[in-house]
Structures are given as structure tokens and as C-alpha cells.
Amino acid sequence: MTKPHRTFFAELKRRGIFKVAAVYGAVAFAVLQGADIILPSLGLPERTITVVVVIALLGFPAAIAFAWAYELTGQGVVPETPAADGELEAIASEPRGVRWLAGVLALVFVALMVGSGWWILSRKDASPESGAMSGVARVVVLPFTVRGSGEHDYLGEGMVDVLSKKLDVAGELRGVDPRAVLSLVSREGGGVPDLDRGRSIAERVDADYFVLGVILEIGDQLRLDASLYDTESGEVIAEATAVGFDTEVFELVDDVAAQLLLSTGGGRGGPVSRIAAVTTESLTALKDYLQGERAMRAGEFLAAADAFQRAVDVDSSFALAWYRLSVANEWLTRDHLVRAAAEQAFRLSGRLSEHDRQLLQAAVAARSGLFVEAEQRYRAIVGGYADDVEAWFQLGEVLFHYGPIWGRSMSDSRDAFEHVLIYEPDHLTAIIHLARIAATEGDLAELNAWVDRFLESNPDADRAIEMRVIRAYAHDDPAEQARVLADLRNASDPSLLVTVGFVPVVVGEPEVGVTLAGVLTESSRTPEMRAVGHVFRAYLLVAQGRLSDAGSEIAATRRLDSYRAIEWGALLTLLPFRPENEPALEVARTELQNIDPEAFPLSVHPSGFLRVHNELHRHVRAYLLGLLNARLGDYVAAERFAAEVETLESPDRGPSLPEDLSLAVRAYIAWLQGESARGLELLERARLQFYYQNSFTSPFFSQSFQRYLRALLLEDVDRLEDALLWYGTFEQASNYDLIFAAPSHLRRAEIYEGRGQLEEARRHYARFLELWANSDPELRPLVDRVEQRLQQLNE
């Protein structure tokens, strides 16, 4: 009788387990060796090799299990059949040497596979055996001394950016954020730090090492000398020198970076060979990029955008320049360029460090309206790179702009912007946001401090006028208001539009916006700018309950741009809180029905405030006709337009817009028919995925109408906490959202009063009365009732 262990061995052989193990081990060994050689040369992240190893190791037991359960036949892969009578005994009776040879071969190949994977992973993670460092250390590259004609002075600061990124890509040294370094150097007197000052700066940014260097012109050649110092001891631990023609700057920097890495035990083949392409191969593009970075630090966004554009025109594969072009255009409200540049940067990011790729992934998510994903990605980055100025700033941007639309306060972004200032205290754009937050919170002392700090850094920066306007109106200073209004007339279009678009929101005074928007309506402006100014004024007047004056502004818009007047005016006729006016609804519906959305002239102005609806007029028309027909009781027509808008193409800057607008029309129909639960279910399916800049340039993107409707529906179904959250989304995002501010305060006051929270009720009743203090006579009965109710609560 055959022994059990011999029978089991025979069954393994019959099912081909040894063959599968041997073949799998051999193939996996070859794949792992090839991956270790090929993947680094492709510029793929280090983790790619790790993933290949893990897959290979995990795939082995899966292959064995599959071989046990199935066999390959002429009819394909079929379940393994039981052994025929006597088959196992025949196999087991084979000479012992044959059986053991098969087993040994299988074990050898599997051992090779496992050993190869272990060797690759351990080699990747091992500490350097030579040099002063172990693991990934932080290094701060300081400005280089440049000696010569002055032609190459740009490389003094430029080395901070370029060499930091090259070392960062190698993975053995982590460069401290160049913006933080240059900011700190500037605050400590500027120039090129000496040894003691360099060591002090390295200690302040908690760097393990710092680099000092000299660039010397020798005829038509350059000599780069760099020394890597240990921060704790102040001693030199590595030196590097490279000499070449000035047209070979990139090769020289590559050479210096490689020498530093090799001297410290950090260069082990693959990573060093990949650092040559982390920026650009064009000296001209590099000069433009560095010029753009200087302009960004100075708050000169138009000059920065022009410089970055020149850089990518020269080298279209310059990923970092594309990214910074996206950021510069963001500050110019050129929303149509922001996302495209960010996506182009990400497409070209294969040559960059894993850190930079993570930053670009987060940027694309933010510019695609993926609020939650963007926040998570930026938090993950700052968790690993605590000194990453850009990641902290962009996290603040996401929280500041997207948060209020989802019921969070813009104040939630304060911590992120304060982290920016830890590393770059003169970061002007972080200061702008902190000044806005202080104004929103009514903290005038803090507002003064931020504005002073901004103006001391650069009184000529693009947004200096916005800072001055915020302070003048937050303090209610008539003399300063007159001065800033005069200066506002001479501001660039981007600065003027952003100032008009943000100041009323942050100071909490719609009437301030009416005054500021008056600058846009002056006769010296283009008809398009004047039309936008009148629309601004109309919405800000509605926010004060001044419906008649708002109508006059829409009429003025019509004389300049009838299409804009029809679209933006129609939404104002639909507001749930305004008295019924069927003739006005009929007129709005007729006008929309009689226009061809393709006839709407496309704006050529670069600002999103003017061109926000380019190529979206069909969407807006169908949406408005759906709402108007529903309000007038023609639900069949309303549903038809809901279906129409749903079929329209999704814009890049608002991927969920057609679906969201369609859901809004259907939810409105349900609400008008008394089906609140159904309407809420529809609105809760909306994704609200849009680029944040469109939320403050268009109420159709911010979807303020449906957000207010959602709050009403939540209140109807007694989900009061959720209703309070959505009622709170109208005062920190956009001038256009302010039309719902007063009614939302009234609704919240009534909810709080019903719950016995009288202090909160008083606060919201008071804010309602403040906003509608000068409302039209037709709204006075409601205002009088609220005044009486507040008086009763105060007794």
C-alpha cells in the first residue's frame, strides 16, 4: 500500500503544482529583476517597484491554489478531475530521484523569486552605509553667491528652487520648501547668508543639513561650488564642484546634486540618474519660471502669469511652470485657464518627485470641485511635509472657498493660513485670506494688523487695493472710503472685480457692494463691464429687500446687454420669499422662450466674472424655463425642460451641473405640489461639483436657489439641524448668494424660537431686520411683524 505522504506528493505532481511553482518562480524572478532596472529609468515613483514586488509575492499562493483546482485542457480551463484508479500509485512508484528533482527545482525558483523581492525592498529601504546621513533627511538650500558680470544673478535665488527640487526627487534628501527659505532669508536682511547665518536659518526650519554655494563666471564658463553642512556641528560633510559653459547650467546643477548625494551615501544608481529632468532643459524657460516665482511672492499676479506663460511657451513639458501658471490665473479669476493648466501639469508630472505629484493630484481635485477629496489630499501632504507652504496654502483655499457652500465657516481655514505664515511670514496671499476672516468676524484690531502687514510687504501688490477697501468699510471711515474709491477707479480689472465681488461679503454690508459696484457702471467702462456692475447692484439691492431698485438695475443692464439681463433677471423673479407677481413671471418665461441660446454673445474678457456662462447659456435657459413653468403651474413643461438640461454636456468647470440643475427643477415641482420628502430626496442626490471660483461669479453654479430650497424642504420634514446648516450657507461665499441671507436669518430665528433657544432667535431676528431695514413697502408687513416679535422676546 502506498504511504500517505507519497500519495500526497503524487497528487501534487499529477495536478502540475511543481511545474506551476517552478515556472511562476522563474517568471516572477525575471520580472522583478527587469522592474528594478527599467522602472527607475521611466521616472516612475519608488513605490511602483514595491507594488510590483508585493503583487509577485501575493500572486504565488493564488497561482498554486488555481493549479490545484483547475487544469488546462484542449477545451480550455476546467475544474481538476479526480485521479483515475491506480494513477496516484503509478506516479508514486516512479523512481525517488525523479520525484525529488521536481520538488527541488520548484523550491529553487520560488526561493529565487522571494529572495529577489526581499533584496529589492531591503535595498530600497536600507540606510546608507557611508556618509553622515541615514534615511531621508531635511536639507535647506540657501541662495548662492554669484560673482561675475551680473548676467547670471538670477541663479543666486534660482539655486534654492532648482537644487532643492533635484535633491527632493532623489529621495535621500528632502528639500525644505524654497518659498519658506527665501522668505526667511529676506526677513533676516536678504542677501547671501554666511556660515553662521546659514546654520541659524537651518535650525529655524528644523533642517538636518544646509547648502551654501558660489557661482563664479570664468570667461564664458561657470563654476558651481556647493558645500553641504551638518546643522548640529556646523561642519562640512560633502562638497561638490562642476564647471561648464553657461549653456550647460542644468548639467552643472545635476552634477552638483549627484556629487552631494554620492558623498553622503545617498546616490545608489537609479535615483541620481533621474534628477536631471525635474524642471526644464531650457535656460530661457527657467529664467521665466524664476521671474514668475518672484512676482508671485510680491503679489503681482498678472506679471507672474505672463512669466509662467512664457516659460511653458518655450518648454511645453515644464510641469512646475504649468502648475504655477494655474495658481497665478486663479488669482486673476481666469477660471477657464486654471483647471486646464493644472491638468497639463499633472499629465507631465512623471519626471517630478512623488511629493510634487501628490501636490498636483490635490490641485486637480480642487479645481474639479472635489471638495472632500482635495481636503483629504492636502491634509495627507502636510502630514508628511509639515513645511510645505504651497500645500498648507491650498488647503486653506479649499476650506475658505468650498467650506461655506457646504455649511462650514470660512474661519475653518484660519489654521492652514497661519501654518503658511509660520514658514513664510510675508506670504501675501495667506495674509489676504486672514484679513478677510478677521473682517467677517468683526475683529477690527486683527484686521488692522493684517492689512498693515500686507501693505508693509508690498503696497503696490495687485490686491493692495482690496485690503485698503476692506479696512475702510469695516471701520466705516468716510474719509478713507473716498480715497479708496478714487484709487479703485484706477485698479486693474481683476483687482476691481474681486474687490467688488468679495468686500460686501466679508464686511457683511450689501449696501457697501452697491457703492463699490457703481465704479463698474461708470461710463468709462466697457458695456460688458457696466452690465456686470448693474447685475451686481441688482442682487445686492435684493439682499436688502429693495426689489424695486433692483428692477431698475436690471433695466439698466438690459440697455447694455439684453441677454445678461434676461438670464440674471429671471432668477430674481423666482425668489420664494418675494410676493407673487405672475405678470413678471410670464414676461420672464416669454423672453427666455423667444431667445436662441446660441445667439448669446460669448465674452472674450479673461475674467470669470464676465465669461462664466460662456457656452452654458443653453443650460441656464432650460433650467430657468423649468423653474418658471413650475412656478406658473405648467408641470408638464417644467419636466420637459428638466429632461432637456439633463441631456446637455457637462462643462469642465462644473461636471455635475446638468444633473444638479435637472434635479433642482424636479425638486421644485415636488415642493410646489406639497411633496417635500420627494423634493428633498431629489436634491440630496445633487453633487454640487464645480470649481469654487464659479460659485462666486454665478448663482447658477453656486446653486443658491436650490440650497435655499433644500433648507426649506429639510425644515418641512423636521430635520431642523440640517436645515440650520443649509440656511447658514449664504453669507460667506458670494454677493449673489446674499439675496437669501435675510430670509435665511428669519427662518433660523423661527426655528430657534420654536426650540426655546431665545438668544439665538434674537440674534437672527436682529440680523434679518438689519439687512432689510430699508426694504420696499410690499415687504414692510413682514418686517413689522419681526420687529414686534423681537421686541416681545426682549421684554
Side-chain angles (χ1 to χ4, degrees):
M1 183 167 178
T2 306
K3 294 181 180 180
H5 74 276
R6 294 181 64 187
T7 303
F8 175 70
F9 188 90
E11 180 66 11
L12 291 177
K13 185 177 180 182
R14 187 186 73 83
R15 293 175 181 252
I17 302 301
F18 296 127
K19 291 181 180 178
V20 170
V23 171
Y24 187 94
V27 172
F29 171 74
V31 168
L32 291 175
Q33 293 301 309
D36 190 42
I37 296 171
I38 296 171
L39 293 183
S41 67
L42 297 177
L44 295 174
E46 291 290 310
R47 65 183 181 187
T48 306
I49 300 178
T50 303
V51 170
V52 172
V53 172
V54 171
I55 291 174
L57 295 177
L58 293 179
F60 177 69
I64 297 302
F66 188 87
W68 178 270
Y70 296 92
E71 64 176 323
L72 181 63
T73 71
Q75 288 73 42
V77 177
V78 298
E80 183 70 55
T81 57
D85 292 342
E87 185 177 357
L88 292 182
E89 286 79 358
I91 296 174
S93 65
E94 290 178 354
R96 180 178 297 179
V98 174
R99 297 196 305 270
W100 283 106
L101 178 61
V104 168
L105 285 175
L107 289 174
V108 166
F109 282 120
V110 171
L112 284 172
M113 175 195 71
V114 174
S116 175
W118 173 84
W119 179 76
I120 291 172
L121 291 176
S122 63
R123 184 177 61 85
K124 279 166 46 46
D125 297 332
S127 299
E129 295 179 357
S130 62
M133 293 179 292
S134 62
V136 177
R138 286 164 52 82
V139 60
V140 55
V141 179
L142 296 162
F144 277 39
T145 300
V146 182
R147 296 173 181 161
S149 65
E151 179 184 354
H152 299 96
D153 285 353
Y154 73 95
L155 285 173
E157 288 188 357
M159 289 295 290
V160 179
D161 194 291
V162 176
L163 186 54
S164 292
K165 291 192 177 300
K166 288 182 179 291
L167 294 174
D168 207 35
V169 166
E172 309 298 338
L173 293 172
R174 177 176 294 178
V176 174
D177 191 311
R179 294 169 60 180
V181 175
L182 292 173
S183 174
L184 188 55
V185 171
S186 175
R187 291 198 315 282
E188 294 195 348
V192 178
D194 57 17
L195 177 60
D196 290 338
R197 191 162 154 235
R199 185 177 178 186
S200 173
I201 290 172
E203 289 173 343
R204 291 189 60 178
V205 297
D206 196 27
D208 301 288
Y209 308 95
F210 62 98
V211 175
L212 295 175
V214 177
I215 300 173
L216 179 64
E217 290 186 25
I218 308 174
D220 59 353
Q221 290 192 318
L222 294 178
R223 172 182 172 131
L224 270 64
D225 292 309
S227 299
L228 183 70
Y229 293 84
D230 180 86
T231 302
E232 184 176 353
S233 66
E235 296 179 353
V236 176
I237 61 172
E239 292 184 310
T241 298
V243 180
F245 293 104
D246 59 3
T247 57
E248 301 172 329
V249 167
F250 302 105
E251 290 82 356
L252 299 180
V253 176
D254 286 341
D255 194 5
V256 165
Q259 289 179 52
L260 292 179
L261 287 166
L262 290 168
S263 297
T264 59
R268 292 192 299 273
V272 175
S273 68
R274 297 202 304 272
I275 64 176
V278 297
T279 54
T280 175
E281 300 298 335
S282 166
L283 188 59
T284 301
L286 178 63
K287 289 180 180 179
D288 288 328
Y289 172 78
L290 295 173
Q291 183 178 345
E293 286 296 326
R294 286 193 294 273
M296 284 294 289
R297 290 195 294 273
E300 297 168 0
F301 308 116
L302 186 58
D306 289 345
F308 293 133
Q309 184 64 58
R310 291 196 302 272
V312 298
D313 287 344
V314 172
D315 180 0
S316 61
S317 66
F318 194 170
L320 293 176
W322 278 110
Y323 171 67
R324 297 299 282 166
L325 177 62
S326 173
V327 175
N329 279 321
E330 184 174 7
W331 279 91
L332 296 169
T333 66
R334 296 173 175 176
D335 61 272
H336 61 297
L337 300 176
V338 171
R339 186 166 183 254
E343 290 182 339
Q344 179 68 0
F346 184 69
R347 282 192 289 271
L348 298 168
S349 65
R351 301 187 302 175
L352 302 181
S353 67
E354 178 65 16
H355 176 196
D356 283 332
R357 279 193 291 272
Q358 291 173 359
L359 197 63
L360 290 173
Q361 285 178 320
V364 171
R367 286 149 180 78
S368 299
L370 297 172
F371 168 43
V372 175
E373 179 185 337
E375 179 184 0
Q376 291 173 343
R377 286 187 179 278
Y378 282 124
R379 289 197 184 280
I381 294 171
V382 298
Y385 298 84
D387 64 345
D388 189 331
V389 172
E390 182 66 11
W392 277 115
F393 177 75
Q394 292 298 336
L395 174 60
E397 283 272 70
V398 167
L399 296 173
F400 184 94
H401 292 292
Y402 285 112
I405 298 169
W406 290 93
R408 295 168 63 175
S409 171
M410 66 169 60
S411 298
D412 290 350
S413 64
R414 181 198 304 276
D415 179 68
F417 291 126
E418 288 177 344
H419 266 87
V420 171
L421 298 184
I422 291 174
Y423 301 104
E424 191 176 338
D426 54 357
H427 193 293
L428 296 183
T429 48
I431 293 172
I432 289 172
H433 287 83
L434 289 167
R436 292 170 176 171
I437 292 171
T440 301
E441 296 175 345
D443 190 333
L444 299 184
E446 184 178 349
L447 172 63
N448 287 340
W450 291 126
V451 174
D452 287 342
R453 189 164 167 177
F454 183 99
L455 296 177
E456 287 169 5
S457 295
N458 188 356
D460 298 320
D462 291 357
R463 294 292 176 83
I465 186 64
E466 180 191 346
M467 295 293 93
R468 293 177 53 215
V469 170
I470 289 176
R471 179 160 62 182
Y473 283 94
H475 280 276
D476 195 19
D477 182 342
E480 182 62 15
Q481 289 169 10
R483 283 190 287 270
V484 296
L485 270 179
D487 292 340
L488 193 61
R489 292 184 171 90
N490 298 318
S492 66
D493 282 358
S495 296
L496 173 58
L497 287 163
V498 170
T499 299
V500 175
F502 261 112
V503 173
V505 173
V506 299
V507 302
E509 295 290 345
E511 183 57 27
V512 168
V514 175
T515 301
L516 296 176
V519 176
L520 291 170
T521 66
E522 293 175 348
S523 59
S524 59
R525 305 285 171 185
T526 65
E528 186 179 27
M529 285 283 280
R530 292 166 63 195
V532 170
H534 285 296
V535 169
F536 262 137
R537 287 168 63 91
Y539 276 70
L540 291 162
L541 287 164
V542 170
Q544 300 173 69
R546 297 165 58 185
L547 306 180
S548 178
D549 290 339
S552 298
E553 293 295 333
I554 293 297
T557 306
R558 189 181 300 276
R559 292 190 289 270
L560 297 163
D561 185 341
S562 61
Y563 294 101
R564 193 179 299 271
I566 290 170
E567 280 186 344
W568 297 74
L571 186 61
L572 295 181
T573 67
L574 285 159
L575 301 179
F577 51 81
R578 72 179 298 163
E580 285 294 334
N581 188 341
E582 187 170 328
L585 294 167
E586 291 280 8
V587 168
R589 180 171 66 174
T590 300
E591 287 184 330
L592 283 165
Q593 287 174 334
N594 291 339
I595 60 173
D596 176 5
E598 301 302 328
F600 279 74
L602 299 182
S603 174
V604 296
H605 196 284
S607 174
F609 279 100
L610 278 71
R611 63 184 298 139
V612 64
H613 291 160
N614 273 5
E615 301 171 357
L616 293 177
H617 297 292
R618 186 176 295 278
H619 300 69
V620 174
R621 176 180 179 271
Y623 166 69
L624 288 170
L625 282 172
L627 295 180
L628 285 163
N629 277 290
R631 183 71 168 267
L632 290 167
D634 189 345
Y635 300 129
V636 173
E639 173 59 37
R640 185 172 69 252
F641 284 110
E644 177 183 328
V645 73
E646 189 176 23
T647 64
L648 297 177
E649 184 177 357
S650 297
D652 289 340
R653 56 193 186 277
S656 71
L657 187 65
E659 178 188 358
D660 290 350
L661 296 180
S662 176
L663 289 169
V665 173
R666 292 181 171 123
Y668 190 48
I669 294 171
W671 181 65
L672 291 171
Q673 293 178 329
E675 299 177 3
S676 295
R678 169 64 177 160
L680 181 59
E681 185 272 329
L682 289 164
L683 282 185
E684 287 184 330
R685 285 160 47 189
R687 290 182 287 146
L688 299 181
Q689 185 185 344
F690 47 79
Y691 177 48
Y692 80 81
Q693 284 198 351
N694 297 131
S695 72
F696 59 73
T697 56
S698 167
F700 302 102
F701 270 101
S702 76
Q703 302 179 47
S704 55
F705 182 90
Q706 41 267 53
R707 282 163 37 218
Y708 187 78
L709 176 60
R710 185 169 183 167
L712 290 174
L713 292 167
L714 286 163
E715 192 176 353
D716 284 349
V717 300
D718 205 32
R719 287 172 53 185
L720 299 184
E721 284 299 327
D722 291 335
L724 289 169
L725 182 148
W726 285 96
Y727 280 134
T729 66
F730 298 105
E731 286 187 276
Q732 294 190 342
S734 163
N735 281 345
Y736 300 122
D737 283 4
L738 290 177
I739 57 179
F740 293 102
S744 73
H745 279 290
L746 177 56
R747 301 305 307 161
R748 280 178 282 176
E750 292 175 343
I751 290 173
Y752 282 122
E753 184 180 359
R755 296 166 61 169
Q757 296 174 258
L758 300 186
E759 188 59 37
E760 284 294 308
R762 292 188 190 97
R763 183 170 68 86
H764 287 289
Y765 278 134
R767 180 58 175 160
F768 167 81
L769 293 173
E770 181 182 359
L771 287 168
W772 275 17
N774 299 309
S775 59
D776 286 354
E778 60 185 311
L779 298 175
R780 286 307 306 178
L782 175 59
V783 174
D784 292 342
R785 180 173 63 81
V786 173
E787 286 178 341
Q788 293 171 5
R789 189 64 196 133
L790 181 58
Q791 184 177 356
Q792 291 170 357
L793 290 177
N794 288 330
E795 290 177 353

